[in-house]
Amino acid sequence: MSSQLRIGVIGYGYWGPNLVRNVNRLADAAAVSVCDYHESRREHVRTQYPGMAALHDWREVVTDPAVDAVIIATPVTTHFELARAALQEGKHVLVEKPMAASLAEAEELLELSSARGLTLMVGHTFLYQGAIRRIAKMASGGELGELLYLDSTRANLGILQDDINVIWDLAPHDFSIMDHVVGEMPLSVSATGATHTDRRLEEIAFVTLHYRDDLIGHVNVNWLSPVKIRKILFGGTRKMVVYDDTEPGEKVKVYDRGVERRSEQDQRHNELIQYRAGDVFVPALDMTEPLFAEVKDFADSIRERRKPLADAESGIRVVRLLELACRSLAQGGVPLEVKP
């Protein structure tokens, strides 16, 4: 590997331009080639980045000996084929979420990367956001007390995907956040949903995750909302947090509020419910662009030979939950056990 990490990007649609821009912000890495099927997008690359290779065939990227690592920002159904080919060619890989279209595919990619000593990372961008990192630190440090629930709503009008339903499209964000904050897998998953078009792909879904100690996670994903909502409530026994990603400034608000049960000494069979209403705190957050932090972690993990934050194991856990949620959805919402 040269002193500068040379990265090829496959896919220059919605997310690709942002990835290329942030890779080129790194001091010790650069995007050297971009691949996309659409000529208009390749022409945009040539205009924005003169001298950068704008390719039509992704195989030219993964077989190029001048490329050290590959970033894949293509539809989910192509992730496995492209990532496997890149790993087989000895390239480190960052693949957008979800990691693959099935658990079997995701596990095969992990095995391949491990056998070849290569970095395999998943684009769980929210794990690199200052707001989520602050909330995770509060949870792990005991500031919130015992977690009681996580309640997420991720809704917007579109964009309806042609190959996956709303769970596979939107829920990976919330599953990765909950996986990071809780630090363990749920015991069971159930899901219900509906489709209101002739596409036969659900546009609305509600997923429930049951953890040990009665911790419950709820995920509402919706392509048919008149307004954009990206909000998660974190309920703890000490404090509660409201995370609103649509807020430009105050994305995180910490509430010293809750419910307490206290037994009366002279009324042993009765319990008094007391409501705690304390201050509201808005913490300062790291405002580094999450995508820049993500690609920097990718480059640093390659050079330092360590696991990135959003490693392949986290990608597998998210795909496992996606599969179970969709299986439950197909069975009318039956809770399914998450096996170790």
Side-chain angles (χ1 to χ4, degrees):
M1 187 186 302
S2 66
S3 58
Q4 187 176 58
L5 187 69
R6 297 159 300 187
I7 298 176
V9 178
I10 303 177
Y12 199 72
Y14 176 76
W15 207 229
N18 295 315
L19 286 162
V20 173
R21 173 177 57 82
N22 278 286
V23 166
N24 286 335
R25 291 176 58 195
L26 297 173
D28 55 357
V32 297
S33 61
V34 173
C35 170
D36 198 279
Y37 285 141
H38 298 84
E39 171 58 29
S40 61
R41 295 174 182 171
R42 297 198 299 273
E43 184 58 34
H44 184 269
V45 172
R46 298 186 190 102
T47 302
Q48 292 291 111
Y49 306 99
M52 183 183 296
L55 308 171
H56 176 268
D57 191 343
W58 60 266
R59 295 171 184 83
E60 295 182 70
V61 178
V62 301
T63 59
D64 186 352
V67 171
D68 302 308
V70 173
I71 297 179
I72 299 168
T74 57
V76 177
T77 52
T78 66
H79 286 183
F80 174 69
E81 180 185 10
L82 301 182
R84 180 178 60 178
L87 292 169
Q88 288 174 336
E89 292 291 336
K91 315 298 185 188
H92 304 280
V93 172
L94 165 57
V95 58
E96 272 308 314
K97 61 82 186 172
M99 182 175 169
S102 72
L103 180 60
E105 290 180 350
E107 290 177 335
E108 183 174 337
L109 292 178
L110 173 59
E111 291 175 4
L112 181 57
S113 65
S114 298
R116 301 197 171 218
L118 297 167
T119 296
L120 175 59
M121 178 174 165
V122 187
H124 292 153
T125 310
F126 279 94
L127 301 190
Y128 295 90
Q129 188 188 64
I132 295 302
R133 301 192 77 164
R134 182 60 185 268
I135 294 169
K137 184 177 180 180
M138 287 190 290
S140 63
E143 188 174 345
L144 306 184
E146 180 185 351
L147 281 176
L148 304 174
Y149 66 86
L150 304 94
D151 190 1
S152 174
T153 300
R154 190 172 300 273
N156 202 1
L157 191 58
I159 303 171
L160 277 69
Q161 303 294 328
D162 295 326
D163 55 343
I164 54 175
N165 66 12
V166 70
I167 293 179
W168 276 89
D169 182 42
L170 298 183
H173 293 306
D174 303 291
F175 288 170
S176 65
I177 291 170
M178 292 181 180
D179 178 72
H180 183 55
V181 172
V182 177
E184 63 182 56
M185 288 288 279
L187 303 177
S188 67
V189 178
S190 61
T192 57
T195 178
H196 298 279
T197 68
D198 58 1
R199 299 163 57 259
R200 296 186 179 180
L201 293 170
E202 290 80 11
E203 301 99 3
I204 304 170
F206 304 91
V207 184
T208 302
L209 312 174
H210 283 278
Y211 296 83
R212 62 186 180 90
D213 298 328
D214 291 328
L215 170 61
I216 189 169
H218 181 258
V219 177
N220 170 7
V221 284
N222 187 345
W223 277 333
L224 302 180
S225 170
V227 294
K228 184 176 183 178
I229 305 173
R230 289 183 178 177
K231 183 177 290 187
I232 308 178
L233 307 181
F234 298 84
T237 54
R238 291 184 180 175
K239 294 180 181 178
M240 300 183 177
V241 176
V242 176
Y243 161 68
D244 190 343
D245 191 48
T246 63
E247 283 285 341
E250 300 178 348
K251 291 185 181 296
V252 176
K253 294 181 180 179
V254 184
Y255 293 80
D256 184 13
R257 297 178 182 175
V259 175
E260 298 178 351
R261 293 181 178 178
R262 295 185 178 180
S263 299
E264 288 284 78
Q265 293 182 354
D266 55 348
Q267 295 179 353
R268 295 183 179 181
H269 298 292
N270 295 325
E271 286 187 324
L272 297 179
I273 302 298
Q274 295 190 353
Y275 297 92
R276 186 179 72 257
D279 296 332
V280 180
F281 171 61
V282 179
L285 303 174
D286 180 358
M287 299 308 293
T288 302
E289 183 178 353
L291 193 57
F292 175 73
E294 176 185 296
V295 296
K296 186 178 187 305
D297 189 29
F298 180 50
D300 290 347
S301 65
I302 293 171
R303 293 192 178 281
E304 298 167 11
R305 298 180 181 275
R306 61 164 175 80
K307 287 185 177 183
L309 174 63
D311 61 10
E313 286 87 349
S314 70
I316 284 178
R317 292 193 296 271
V318 168
V319 171
R320 183 188 299 273
L321 296 179
L322 292 170
E323 275 202 354
L324 286 171
C326 288
R327 197 181 306 163
S328 172
L329 181 64
Q331 298 178 25
V334 174
L336 299 178
E337 179 186 1
V338 181
K339 297 180 180 179

